[in-house]
Amino acid sequence: SDLGGGGGGAAFGGALFIASGAEIEIVDSVTFTSNTVTAGFSAGDGGIGAADGADLFLMSGVNATFDIGAGKSLTFDPAIGNDDGVNFGVGLVKEGDGTLRLTGTSLFGGGILVDRGELVIDGTSNNISNIVDHGTLTVNGTVGGQTLANTGTINVNSAGVINGDVATVAGLVTVNGTINGDVYIADDGVLKGSGTITPSNNSSGAVEVFGTIAPGNSIGTLHINGDYLQGYQGTYEVEVNAAGQSDKIEISGAAFLSCGCLPGDGGNVH
């Protein structure tokens, strides 16, 4: 406590406190029950200090690895605390073929890596970067930062929001919720869904597809609130039913199709 005019002291770390340079690996399951941290108070007018990480607290430079085996699922409720307010250098790694579900609010300045299995974000995770190597990132809550699928899958469900740019090299991006950022689909990547993408409003902001775009989940409309560019090597997959209904891309900005429509033409469609 503080009997002067300053604020109360901070309290960091509850059940597990992981110091800088260390690592923690959680295998299959973990349970935290009724843990608390209590900050110091001030007898003056400085207020109460910060309190963070009642269950799991990570110092800067720490990676937390969750290795969830095939057929198993772990729901991790608590927010993961940190020592600097932004989790600079703190990362989360998802290993194993099972499912990890995060329902709290956590910041990972060092980013998230989904190497295998599925990571489900039901809460809020604001990061510098999210990388999906071979597994699946499913977003039902809110995710911040740049998100890349190498050969993995990104699912943005109806209530899900990604605030940041999204790209894939050879993976699948399904948008049935919202992406607020630019989207880049490389030659071997796929973009599908019936959600809404709002690219950044700078001069280069757009949805760019050099792989495959397949709007809808069956028949549906993918909404783009901005510009759309499709490279000449890109493929637009359209489903049409007997009633004449078909997939659509609804674009509020400019559409630029670099098609090479005729032999030797290399022409473009605007």
Side-chain angles (χ1 to χ4, degrees):
S1 63
D2 180 359
L3 299 181
F12 293 146
L16 288 174
F17 184 101
I18 313 301
S20 295
E23 293 188 1
I24 180 171
E25 182 175 12
I26 295 173
V27 179
D28 289 340
S29 66
V30 64
T31 300
F32 293 97
T33 304
S34 302
N35 299 301
T36 62
V37 289
T38 303
F41 68 92
S42 171
D45 58 2
I48 299 174
D52 194 10
D55 295 304
L56 178 59
F57 185 90
L58 308 178
M59 293 287 285
S60 296
V62 172
N63 281 331
T65 298
F66 288 79
D67 189 346
I68 314 300
K72 297 182 179 181
S73 179
L74 170 63
T75 296
F76 194 81
D77 296 317
I80 298 176
N82 69 98
D83 64 325
D84 60 4
V86 294
N87 262 354
F88 178 76
V90 171
L92 182 146
V93 179
K94 169 62 182 67
E95 295 283 2
D97 293 327
T99 299
L100 171 63
R101 185 179 296 270
L102 299 180
T103 61
T105 299
S106 298
L107 311 178
F108 299 99
I112 288 177
L113 170 63
V114 182
D115 187 52
R116 293 160 55 202
E118 183 179 20
L119 173 62
V120 181
I121 305 290
D122 288 336
T124 300
S125 181
N126 292 316
N127 319 305
I128 292 175
S129 66
N130 310 287
I131 298 175
V132 186
D133 265 353
H134 310 292
T136 298
L137 173 65
T138 297
V139 181
N140 298 317
T142 301
V143 170
Q146 295 183 334
T147 303
L148 168 67
N150 286 322
T151 58
T153 297
I154 300 170
N155 295 321
V156 186
N157 290 337
S158 58
V161 178
I162 293 181
N163 292 316
D165 298 342
V166 175
T168 183
V169 177
L172 169 64
V173 178
T174 301
V175 185
N176 291 309
T178 302
I179 294 178
N180 295 313
D182 300 337
V183 173
Y184 180 88
I185 309 298
D187 292 16
D188 296 320
V190 178
L191 172 64
K192 61 182 297 185
S194 297
T196 300
I197 303 172
T198 303
S200 59
N201 57 12
N202 61 41
S203 59
S204 61
V207 173
E208 299 180 66
V209 175
F210 296 90
T212 298
I213 185 167
N217 302 288
S218 177
I219 289 179
T221 301
L222 181 63
H223 306 271
I224 298 175
N225 292 330
D227 295 343
Y228 173 73
L229 182 149
Q230 183 170 313
Y232 71 89
Q233 65 274 60
T235 299
Y236 178 15
E237 288 188 1
V238 179
E239 181 179 353
V240 180
N241 64 19
Q245 298 172 314
S246 67
D247 293 327
K248 294 186 294 184
I249 308 172
E250 187 176 89
I251 303 166
S252 68
F256 182 88
L257 308 181
S258 178
C259 62
C261 304
L262 299 175
D265 175 22
N268 301 316
V269 177
H270 299 265

